[in-house]
């Protein structure tokens, strides 16, 4: 059974709905340990102080914030607790915004929001009203002594909650900008649009898998059995010299596929993008959320 990461109430006007949050997705990677190549045993990492020239115990460690070069303000656990947000079991909706008005760059972790028995009707009312209106809710929540702004949005099976990055956490990269000095020909745009349409399909997450992680496990099993590991030849890519020629050749190599659903069919598309039962049950294996 999945573990609850937060339990409380979401408030909608004068309506209070008891809910629980469950982790909706987590990263899965092949993990490696650091091994001493001479004896084959795991290493033990130690904390070394270059000033005292010795290994120190963890009990000697304190937290410090660097305010100047090599100058730190020491902060203890009591200091942090004194300014930490109090634990709260209330999540108040502050406003509703159109879903397309939220830039996905602000999305962080995702959670399934499940109603308690006493709040199922009110939960369904909120879900249906948001689903039919196209609005998502912005709210505040405190979890694990940290305050989050969150987006609550309707999904095919219920309400999803996404913690969000704050504006100051989204990076500014000067190189990421539109180059207005570059122009493309209308014929190039037309061919590129045809290429996009030729590759268009309904979103189906089950079609995509982490092939690299699969190859890692195959390599590990081969080494475990004492077999040789076959190397995969890298793909060679020819430089694009003539853009029009490259577009025309790409169009000629398009695979035959069914056309994607029309964009206007919002409800059916949302259902199609819902997680498969098997994938959903796998993702329901919750981890303890760090935020």
């Amino acid at each position: 059974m999945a573990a609850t990461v937060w339990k409380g109430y979401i408030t909608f006007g004068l309506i209070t709905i008891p809910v629980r949050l469950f982790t909706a997705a987590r990263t899965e990677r092949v993990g490696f340990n650091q091994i001493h190549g001479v004896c084959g045993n795991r290493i033990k990492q130690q904390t070394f102080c270059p000033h005292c020239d010795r290994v120190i115990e963890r009990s000697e460690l304190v937290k410090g914030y660097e305010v100047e070069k090599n100058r730190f303000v020491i902060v203890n656990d009591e200091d942090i607790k004194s300014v930490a947000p109090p634990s709260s079991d209330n999540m108040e909706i502050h406003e509703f915004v159109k879903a397309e008005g939220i830039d996905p760059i602000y999305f962080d972790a995702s959670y399934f929001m499940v109603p308690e028995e006493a709040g199922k009707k009110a939960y369904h009312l909120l879900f249906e009203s948001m689903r039919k209106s196209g609005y998502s809710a912005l709210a505040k929540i405190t979890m694990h002594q940290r305050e989050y702004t969150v987006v609550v949005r309707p999904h095919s099976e219920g309400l999803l909650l996404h913690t969000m990055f704050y504006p100051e956490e989204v990076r500014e990269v000067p190189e990421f900008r539109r180059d207005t000095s570059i122009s493309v020909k209308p014929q190039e745009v037309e061919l590129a649009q045809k290429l996009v349409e030729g590759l268009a399909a309904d979103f189906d997450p089950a079609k995509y898998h982490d092939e690299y992680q699969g190859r890692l496990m195959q390599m590990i099993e081969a080494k475990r059995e004492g077999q040789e590991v076959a190397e995969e030849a890298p793909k060679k890519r020819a430089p694009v010299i003539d853009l029009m020629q490259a577009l025309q050749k790409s169009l000629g190599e398009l695979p035959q596929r069914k056309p994607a659903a029309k964009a206007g069919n919002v409800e059916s598309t949302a259902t199609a993008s819902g997680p498969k039962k098997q994938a959903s049950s796998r993702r329901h294996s919750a981890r303890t959320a760090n935020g």
Side-chain angles (χ1 to χ4, degrees), residues 180-199:
T180 55
S181 65
I182 296 176
S183 61
V184 291
K185 299 174 182 177
Q187 300 94 321
E188 294 170 336
V189 175
E190 184 180 352
L191 283 178
Q193 285 179 324
K194 287 182 178 178
L195 182 58
V196 170
E197 291 167 2
L199 291 171

Side-chain angles (χ1 to χ4, degrees), residues 99-111:
E100 60 269 21
I102 305 173
D103 191 335
I105 197 171
Y106 289 100
F107 286 178
D108 186 13
S110 301
Y111 300 88

Side-chain angles (χ1 to χ4, degrees), residues 24-35:
R26 64 177 179 181
T27 301
E28 292 187 6
R29 294 289 183 268
V30 175
F32 294 98
N33 294 301
Q34 296 291 321
I35 305 298

Side-chain angles (χ1 to χ4, degrees), residues 1-176:
M1 186 175 179
T4 302
V5 298
W6 185 87
K7 179 182 177 181
Y9 302 87
I10 181 169
T11 57
F12 169 46
L14 297 177
I15 300 173
T16 301
I17 310 169
V19 296
R20 292 174 183 261
L21 296 182
F22 298 88
T23 302
R26 64 177 179 181
T27 301
E28 292 187 6
R29 294 289 183 268
V30 175
F32 294 98
N33 294 301
Q34 296 291 321
I35 305 298
H36 186 197
V38 175
C39 65
N41 287 297
R42 289 177 61 174
I43 64 168
K44 179 181 178 182
Q45 294 186 341
Q46 296 178 314
T47 307
F48 181 80
C49 177
H51 177 77
C52 298
D53 193 27
R54 67 180 179 87
V55 175
I56 62 173
E57 299 295 328
R58 289 199 173 273
S59 59
E60 299 178 72
L61 296 176
V62 295
K63 294 182 178 70
Y65 182 86
E66 190 172 29
V67 291
E68 295 175 12
K69 181 71 173 178
N70 294 325
R71 182 166 174 256
F72 302 88
V73 171
I74 304 302
V75 178
N76 59 41
D77 291 340
E78 291 302 317
D79 294 327
I80 295 174
K81 286 180 181 178
S82 68
V83 296
S87 296
S88 174
D89 61 356
N90 188 56
M91 184 196 324
E92 182 181 357
I93 294 176
H94 291 279
E95 59 185 357
F96 289 92
V97 297
K98 284 292 186 181
E100 60 269 21
I102 305 173
D103 191 335
I105 197 171
Y106 289 100
F107 286 178
D108 186 13
S110 301
Y111 300 88
F112 294 118
M113 182 183 288
V114 179
E116 301 282 20
E117 190 65 34
K120 284 188 174 181
K121 186 171 182 179
Y123 175 95
H124 189 72
L125 173 65
L126 178 60
F127 168 69
E128 282 297 320
S129 60
M130 291 173 66
R131 185 179 68 85
K132 291 184 177 180
S133 65
Y135 278 102
S136 294
L138 289 179
K140 283 275 192 179
I141 185 175
T142 300
M143 289 193 297
H144 313 297
Q145 293 189 322
R146 185 177 173 188
E147 188 177 66
Y148 296 92
T149 298
V150 298
V151 172
V152 178
R153 68 180 182 89
H155 197 47
S156 58
E157 301 296 329
L159 295 174
L160 285 182
L161 180 144
H162 305 277
T163 56
M164 300 183 70
F165 292 111
Y166 289 103
E168 59 270 21
E169 295 176 311
V170 177
R171 307 295 184 189
E172 289 188 12
V173 180
E175 294 83 359
F176 183 67

Side-chain angles (χ1 to χ4, degrees), residues 199-224:
L199 291 171
D202 294 329
F203 176 58
D204 181 5
K207 293 193 299 187
Y208 299 93
H209 303 278
D210 193 335
E211 297 177 5
Y212 169 61
Q213 298 296 310
R215 291 196 299 271
L216 265 181
M217 288 308 302
Q218 289 176 358
M219 175 268 291
I220 291 170
E221 286 300 317
K223 291 180 73 71
R224 180 183 179 184

